[in-house]
Every structure is written in structure tokens, then in C-alpha cells.
Amino acid sequence: MKNEIQTARPVAVVSGGSRGLGQAIVTELMLHGLTVATFSRSKTPFVDEQTAADPQAKRFRWESLDGADAQALAGFARGVLQRYGRIDALVNNMATLGDGLLTMMRDADIHRQVSMNLESAIFLTRACLKGMLPQGSGSIVNISSVNALRGHKGVSIYSATKAALIGLTKSLAVEVGPAGIRVNCVAPGYFSSDMTAAFTDEQRARIARRTPLKRLGTVEDIAKAVWFLLSPESSFITAQVIAVDGGFVG
Amino acid sequence: MHVRYGVPDLHNVKPTMENLKEKILGVVLDVAQENSPQLEAVRPDQMLVEDLGLRSLDLARIVAKLEMVLGVDPFAELVAVTSIRTPGDLIDAYSKCFTGEGESAEGSESESEGASAPRQRSGLASQRDLRKQSRGE
């Protein structure tokens, strides 16, 4: 078959792996020997660097994709299966944050968040499961948020989508567990990223004061938890939510 | 049966009816043997649940394996998965993908329902049954 690479390496699909947390997850998984396929709307220097180092996409594959397009997501997963012959891991990382009071939000912004944060995870998961079910193995990690566990002003839709991912995780874990597939969730607390870039120093200091470990998280903190849940080290863990938040008390 | 992990190029793959039947029965047997290792063959008229002991997740695995082998999923649009009771129903469903039958989802669904009406419900992949299960009914 054209463009097909049969690989013994585990293959991971990561949504939104071109920057921020997604980039850190892709990096962590590649460090552990996985082949990673990811997508985002636009290229970043990280994507340019990886594709330049691996022009035949043997270890890293990137596509430009609108995460709100369910058919495109299914096509992406099919393309990964066609290319590498397997999908062993999936990280539903892609998300968009539209903050603001609910009553002030435009319909389009609400739909966009639900589509990008929740529906995309559902459709991508369904597509990737078609590779995992025949193998009888696989591990899925959904990136939720501390906002799914505690209420915060101005992020009601974001929180709703992230809480829904926890529901998806728990039910799907029960559904596909007998087929050898694990499903877990990581709920990051506040960590340095594009989403927290607008925080003032005072806001950061306040978060650190309320965090027993006295700092904001890093993308590496989250990526290592994701790797743990994907790895054989967690082979008896499923349907769980791990908060990576330094013990943040709200 | 060896399952090829990779989606075939649909333009190059058009199995004959006999070939299609053989592939589908092979995949059903593969999955059924996991629960019943003594099983040597499956027939198109056997009930997936009652005769072969398959559950809804087993059907999902069969469909995923067949998508790998055949490169098509008739349950995405053409056929209602709840109409599948036997390996023969699966053969009918997949043959639609290659013969161009059932181009309209409505047409194929009503055809499937009509054809299977006299049969008992298998309970496979039925949302109503799943809800009943979750309520302990």
C-alpha cells in the first residue's frame, strides 16, 4: 500500500499537539519512543522543526485540521491507521477557552467551545477506537481541567465541556475495558500556558498561595502524568481522574 | 484469520460475494472463539447472541475488524446496526457497500427493519437495551 509504514513502535494520536500543553505531550511521548500523529489548525515552529527532522513522517506526523470538523477527524484517524497500521494511544488535548459571563456570550462562541472541547474528543475517540478494538488494547487520556472539579467565574461553558469529558471517561472506560482499552482523565490545575498568559503577577501569586506545593504547574508536570496513564506502568488503572494541580484548594 | 491493520484503498478492493462472505464469517469466528474456543465454524443463519454468545462490544470489535479488512463501515450511514442479528445480516450489510444498494439511509433502514421483523431481538448495540441494563431491568 502506498505511504504505508508498518511499525513496531506504539503509535499515539494527540489532538492539538502543535503548541503549549499539546507540544509538551507530543515531546514526552516521542521521548518514550512512541510515534506521534497530531493535528492543529496552523503550523508552529515546533511542527516545522519536527517535520524538518523527519520529512518522511516516520516518527512524527502533523496535519492541518479544523478540530470542529467531525469528518476530518475520522479521516485523520483513518490516515494514521493507513500510514502506521495501528493506534495504541489517544490524548484528547485540544481545547479552546472563551471566557466571559454566560449571559454575555454569543451563540457562536458557545457552540465553538462545545464543538472543539467536547464533540471533537467524542468523534476522534470513536475513530481511534476502530484501530484499538481489533488490537484488543489501547489507552486513552482525556485532558479535563480543574474547572471541571471546582466552579470559577467566567468559564461556565469551558467547565461544562471539561466536566463532560470526565463523564465520557468514566462511561467509556466501562464500555471498552473488556476489550483491553483503558480510559482515564487528567485534570490540570493552573499551569503556565497561553491560557494563563494574561494573568497578572498578583493573580499568579494568589494561585501559588492557594496551592500547597506553592507554585503554578508546568506543561511538563501535566505531560508526565499523561505519559504515566498511557504507559504500561498504569496497566490496572482505568476510569480515573488525576488532578495535577499541586493540591490547589480553590 | 489474519487481520490486516491498515485501511485498504477502496478503489482497488472490491471483494466477490463469496470472498466477502468468507472474510466476514472468518472475523465473526475469530471473535466468537475468544469466548468459545471449541467453536470450529459459524453459519450465516446463527444468532450472534443466542447461538454464538456475542455481546454488544463483540459486535463493535467485529465491525472495527471488518473496517480494517474491507475498508468500509456500512453502519456509519447505510444500515442500522440494531438490525444485525446474524452473520448473514452482516454479509447483507457489507454487500450493500460494494453493490451500491441502500444508497439512502432511510431506504436501507426500513428494508433492514422489515427483513428482520419476524426475528427475535438480539439486544446487540441497542441503546434502549443498554439503558435498561443500566437501570438494572
Side-chain angles (χ1 to χ4, degrees):
Chain A
M1 193 184 306
K2 249 185 190 176
N3 296 326
E4 186 177 320
I5 296 175
Q6 293 298 325
T7 177
R9 287 179 186 277
V11 175
V13 169
V14 178
S15 68
S18 67
R19 70 181 77 223
L21 177 58
Q23 175 181 331
I25 292 170
V26 168
T27 304
E28 182 74 17
L29 300 192
M30 290 180 71
L31 194 67
H32 286 280
L34 277 71
T35 292
V36 179
T38 188
F39 60 85
S40 55
R41 260 181 308 176
S42 51
K43 269 191 177 184
T44 60
F46 172 70
V47 170
D48 286 335
E49 188 185 312
Q50 295 300 321
T51 48
D54 180 12
Q56 291 184 310
K58 289 182 178 171
R59 296 279 320 278
F60 177 83
R61 176 187 176 98
W62 174 86
E63 279 183 36
S64 171
L65 204 79
D66 178 2
D69 183 341
Q71 288 206 337
L73 292 171
F76 178 81
R78 271 200 304 274
V80 173
L81 281 170
Q82 205 158 31
R83 176 77 168 163
Y84 302 110
R86 55 193 291 173
I87 295 178
D88 301 277
L90 165 65
V91 183
N92 284 307
N93 162 70
M94 181 179 68
T96 183
L97 171 64
D99 58 343
L101 298 181
L102 178 60
T103 52
M104 305 298 283
M105 291 186 83
R106 295 182 307 172
D107 289 4
D109 293 335
I110 293 172
H111 286 306
R112 181 80 182 159
Q113 284 191 81
V114 173
S115 174
M116 293 286 285
N117 300 2
L118 176 59
E119 289 181 359
S120 68
I122 293 171
F123 287 118
L124 187 61
T125 299
R126 187 177 66 171
C128 290
L129 278 173
K130 292 190 173 185
M132 294 177 179
L133 282 170
Q135 295 165 197
S137 65
S139 182
I140 299 169
V141 172
N142 294 315
I143 304 297
S144 181
S145 166
V146 69
N147 289 301
L149 308 173
R150 298 182 191 86
H152 292 102
K153 185 177 69 179
V155 288
S156 57
I157 303 304
Y158 182 80
S159 301
T161 60
K162 292 296 185 178
L165 286 179
I166 294 177
L168 175 69
T169 298
K170 288 183 177 287
S171 286
L172 189 62
V174 175
E175 197 170 303
V176 298
I181 300 165
R182 300 184 296 114
V183 191
N184 289 290
C185 209
V186 167
Y190 291 103
F191 60 95
S192 298
S193 70
D194 290 351
M195 288 187 188
T196 55
F199 285 9
T200 63
D201 288 346
E202 190 189 337
Q203 283 173 313
R204 287 170 186 277
R206 193 165 60 235
I207 291 167
R209 274 201 305 276
R210 292 176 182 176
T211 302
L213 295 181
K214 298 297 173 197
R215 65 171 173 88
L216 269 72
T218 65
V219 288
E220 288 77 18
D221 292 327
I222 320 298
K224 286 182 191 307
V226 171
W227 162 245
F228 169 70
L229 288 173
L230 294 179
S231 74
E233 302 297 316
S234 62
S235 60
F236 200 52
I237 298 176
T238 195
Q240 301 305 306
V241 182
I242 295 185
V244 183
D245 62 358
F248 182 68
V249 289
Chain B
M1 181 182 168
H2 174 69
V3 174
R4 185 162 53 134
Y5 294 130
V7 183
D9 179 344
L10 300 187
H11 300 293
N12 294 330
V13 180
K14 210 168 191 178
T16 62
M17 197 56 204
E18 201 48 43
N19 194 254
L20 186 67
K21 182 178 166 187
E22 185 191 328
K23 282 179 190 292
I24 292 171
L25 293 181
V27 168
V28 173
L29 179 62
D30 269 355
V31 174
Q33 278 179 331
E34 289 172 18
N35 300 327
S36 314
Q38 76 288 354
L39 202 64
E40 290 178 357
V42 295
R43 296 190 318 271
D45 63 336
Q46 285 179 300
M47 300 298 284
L48 294 169
V49 172
E50 291 84 349
D51 298 332
L52 300 175
L54 299 178
R55 298 161 301 168
S56 55
L57 185 60
D58 295 322
L59 180 61
R61 293 182 58 218
I62 288 168
V63 171
K65 285 188 175 205
L66 286 172
E67 185 168 347
M68 293 291 184
V69 174
L70 301 169
V72 294
D73 176 8
F75 308 106
E77 285 183 10
L78 288 175
V79 182
V81 75
T82 48
S83 68
I84 301 300
R85 274 86 169 163
T86 66
D89 292 337
L90 280 170
I91 294 167
D92 290 345
Y94 282 89
S95 65
K96 284 179 178 153
C97 293
F98 296 102
T99 59
E101 269 183 65
E103 297 266 323
S104 115
E106 264 186 37
S108 63
E109 276 206 24
S110 59
E111 185 185 317
S112 300
E113 290 300 321
S116 59
R119 294 188 183 131
Q120 285 188 324
R121 289 180 55 76
S122 70
L124 278 175
S126 155
Q127 289 304 308
R128 193 187 311 164
D129 290 339
L130 287 172
R131 282 196 295 273
K132 280 183 181 174
Q133 277 177 24
S134 72
R135 291 197 299 261
E137 290 176 31

